Amino acid sequence: MTLHLYDTYERSLRPFEPIQAGMAGLYACGPTVYDYAHIGNLRTYLFVDGLRRVLEFNGLQVRHVMNITDVGHLTSDADSGDDKVEAKSARSGKSAWDIAAEFTAAFESDLRQLNILPPTVWCRATGHIAEQIAFIRDLEGKGYTYRTADGIYFDTTRQDSYGRLARLNRDGLQAGKRVDLGDKRDICDFALWKFSGLPGQRQMEWDSPWGLGFPGWHIECSAMAEKHLGAYFDIHCGGEDHVAVHHSNEIAQTEARHGTRLANFWLHGAFLKTQDAKMSKSSGDFLRLQSLVGQGVDPLAYRYLCLGAHYRSSLNFSDQALLAAASGLARLRASVHGLGEAGDEPDAAWLARFAAQINDDLNFPRALAVAWELLKSALPDGVKKATMLRFDTALGLDLLNWQPLAVAVPQQVLAWMEERAIARAQRRWSDADGLRAQAREAGYEIEDTPQGQQARPIS
Ligand code: AMP
Ligand code: ZN
């Protein structure tokens, strides 16, 4: 089956055909680095990583671009409030640049622990100010902007297509509007460039044709995506909360400048939810990956948990669900490890069964079920192992590198093993079998391996 992906723009499952044969350009909106990522954010990056791995499974060379939002993301989507990074700086006493560096490093560490492949290109908003200014100038030249007391704004009324991604009902919005627009002409208009305000008020600010200031959050993604992938590329993705505002605005900007809708496919991951609603970075009270690790949870158990839910379904997080995932992962690892050395070739029929699931809009829950069925199948162990390792290039569970913890085998069992070695050397087979049975009763399986006898606890 060829890869099919659900495109939010068309609201339908479409066959994926790369714009340039053999390649896929992928842009994922990255984190706003004013705090740690919570496990909800990380679910979105696990979804993006799964998408990338599936593209690669299909033989495509992926150019994966991820931005770091280190400036311009305001506390309110309505272009008001503080810049999140500057506000954190004011609260913590650290510089805005240090805040951004600290939480970027923490984010990269989270990705590593989750075995998320590093993007081909990392890009920072503060490293692309010239590109953003050039973009805004172009929009200005084309008549899409206007100036207010606090910035340069995008005039969304110039575009009939504005909000198509979100199936926005403009008339309904206008009728129901009760918000204070400030100097904005329309509720949907958004800031491209904000003025700095009083001197010394901001740490991150730049000169521009419109005066000292900083870029808006949406222009950064259009400008960086264009720089690193071109004005029209294969896939743009992010969390479902981006559909209504951020991604709609990215499309508006690029469509105004180039007439394209930026990406051929728009993919969105559903949210992770918790019963106690502790999943908001801005409230400062949320669950981090590091908190789970501190409780002795393997980060890949969280990855396994996320694999068990389709990316377009919301996932309810609970300790019980995480524990069940941890035990599922432990069983999977032990079974795969127990297969021994991988053979040369994976099994083509099983690979096709697996591919059919991941190519059906990244159906990892069903792909995982195929992996479990494979383990129970009658294939020779070496072929099973080679096939599982190939599956794992998409699952990302790092099954190849997992090793059981070396367990201390009790002295008594070691003594029985020694006696058994002598019994076998003397061809006293029934004595040797009796010693093995004794060890088994004590909870240890003795195995004969090319390296000699080995004992492992019976789980
Ligand atoms: P932010 O750092 O706030 O810009 O968010 C980073 C990414 O996490 C974005 O793609 C959001 O859509 C996504 N996100 C935010 N909250 C959640 C959540 N509870 N579950 C899944 N993804 C989320
Ligand atoms: Zn973005």
Side-chain angles (χ1 to χ4, degrees):
M1 172 179 177
T2 55
L3 175 59
H4 280 64
L5 297 171
Y6 186 85
D7 176 17
T8 313
Y9 197 87
E10 298 297 349
R11 299 284 192 279
S12 69
L13 213 57
R14 297 171 49 210
F16 178 74
E17 277 161 27
I19 296 169
Q20 198 186 330
M23 316 272 291
L26 173 67
Y27 186 92
C29 290
T32 309
V33 284
Y34 68 104
D35 208 332
Y36 297 108
H38 56 59
I39 57 171
N41 301 132
L42 294 174
R43 181 184 187 208
T44 290
Y45 298 109
L46 282 166
F47 141 62
V48 174
D49 188 56
L51 168 61
R52 169 181 171 172
R53 286 170 178 274
V54 168
L55 293 165
E56 289 179 348
F57 195 94
N58 282 276
L60 295 159
Q61 196 187 331
V62 181
R63 183 167 168 81
H64 175 192
V65 178
M66 195 188 304
N67 69 297
I68 295 287
T69 301
D70 49 1
V71 70
H73 196 166
L74 303 186
T75 46
S76 156
D77 266 356
D79 295 300
S80 55
D82 297 328
D83 181 311
K84 293 185 183 195
V85 175
E86 295 262 356
K88 181 65 175 267
S89 161
R91 284 201 301 278
S92 67
K94 295 180 190 166
S95 81
W97 297 97
D98 285 350
I99 295 285
E102 176 182 345
F103 294 111
T104 301
F107 178 67
E108 288 176 1
S109 156
D110 284 344
L111 298 196
R112 268 194 305 278
Q113 292 188 65
L114 289 168
N115 200 28
I116 290 177
L117 299 169
T120 327
V121 176
W122 283 109
C123 44
R124 283 175 306 117
T126 52
H128 293 73
I129 299 298
E131 289 82 353
Q132 297 175 74
I133 290 176
F135 205 122
I136 301 168
R137 286 206 73 148
D138 207 7
L139 294 179
E140 192 176 36
K142 292 184 157 81
Y144 280 94
T145 66
Y146 61 89
R147 188 182 183 112
T148 72
D150 72 1
I152 305 295
Y153 281 78
F154 186 94
D155 179 359
T156 57
T157 60
R158 287 275 325 270
Q159 265 174 342
D160 289 342
S161 57
Y162 181 80
R164 153 107 180 121
L165 177 76
R167 302 295 187 268
L168 186 76
N169 172 359
R170 273 195 98 117
D171 297 339
L173 261 187
Q174 305 302 331
K177 81 176 166 201
R178 275 196 191 78
V179 289
D180 176 14
L181 287 184
D183 287 346
K184 276 204 295 192
R185 294 184 193 157
D186 185 274
I187 190 168
C188 296
D189 293 355
F190 56 90
L192 296 164
W193 187 264
K194 293 273 283 189
F195 303 138
S196 278
L198 299 174
Q201 200 170 302
R202 288 186 60 88
Q203 300 163 56
M204 293 175 160
E205 58 186 359
W206 296 266
D207 264 331
S208 79
W210 315 281
L212 206 58
F214 61 100
W217 171 37
H218 316 299
I219 195 71
E220 89 178 58
C221 283
S222 281
M224 290 195 275
E226 178 177 334
K227 169 155 186 196
H228 297 289
L229 292 166
Y232 185 59
F233 55 89
D234 295 291
I235 307 175
H236 193 311
C237 50
E240 61 184 351
D241 57 327
H242 285 346
V243 174
V245 179
H246 183 52
H247 288 170
S248 292
N249 293 350
E250 282 185 48
I251 290 174
Q253 295 164 149
T254 300
E255 205 169 290
R257 188 180 195 189
H258 295 291
T260 69
R261 60 175 152 104
L262 193 56
N264 186 11
F265 280 77
W266 286 84
L267 265 66
H268 293 96
F271 264 30
L272 180 82
K273 299 195 168 141
T274 53
Q275 247 113 25
D276 53 7
K278 282 185 185 169
M279 206 47 65
S280 152
K281 260 206 266 190
S282 49
S283 74
D285 183 16
F286 58 79
L287 204 46
R288 289 176 55 196
L289 186 65
Q290 250 357 79
S291 336
L292 301 181
V293 171
Q295 291 159 24
V297 177
D298 186 322
L300 291 181
Y302 181 60
R303 184 172 187 123
Y304 190 92
L305 175 70
C306 291
L307 284 171
H310 190 265
Y311 77 92
R312 285 197 288 121
S313 310
S314 60
L315 169 60
N316 283 318
F317 180 83
S318 68
D319 289 342
Q320 293 90 312
L322 185 63
L323 276 180
S327 109
L329 176 63
R331 280 187 294 122
L332 186 71
R333 282 170 161 168
S335 311
V336 173
H337 187 262
L339 295 172
E341 287 294 305
D344 290 340
E345 286 297 327
D347 183 83
W350 280 93
L351 279 187
R353 282 183 65 177
F354 183 83
Q357 300 306 339
I358 55 175
N359 283 350
D360 180 13
D361 195 29
L362 319 182
N363 199 327
F364 277 109
R366 289 218 306 266
L368 208 50
V370 171
W372 279 108
E373 279 174 46
L374 166 76
L375 287 170
K376 287 187 216 125
S377 75
L379 277 186
D381 282 359
V383 183
K384 260 190 209 173
K385 178 90 168 229
T387 312
M388 273 304 297
L389 293 181
R390 184 84 177 87
F391 289 1
D392 198 35
T393 59
L395 299 171
L397 293 169
D398 198 23
L399 294 172
L400 177 66
N401 293 316
W402 183 79
Q403 290 289 333
L405 286 180
V407 278
V409 178
Q411 280 304 322
Q412 177 61 75
V413 176
L414 291 174
W416 288 332
M417 285 164 77
E418 218 169 307
E419 271 182 58
R420 180 170 174 268
I422 297 167
R424 280 166 63 91
Q426 296 174 344
R427 296 173 175 276
R428 289 185 284 112
W429 305 119
S430 66
D431 286 354
D433 287 347
L435 288 158
R436 182 185 241 170
Q438 263 175 292
R440 202 172 281 151
E441 264 180 40
Y444 288 83
E445 186 65 61
I446 299 176
E447 283 162 337
D448 296 305
T449 75
Q451 288 78 39
Q453 296 185 82
Q454 276 178 5
R456 63 169 174 83
I458 299 167
S459 48

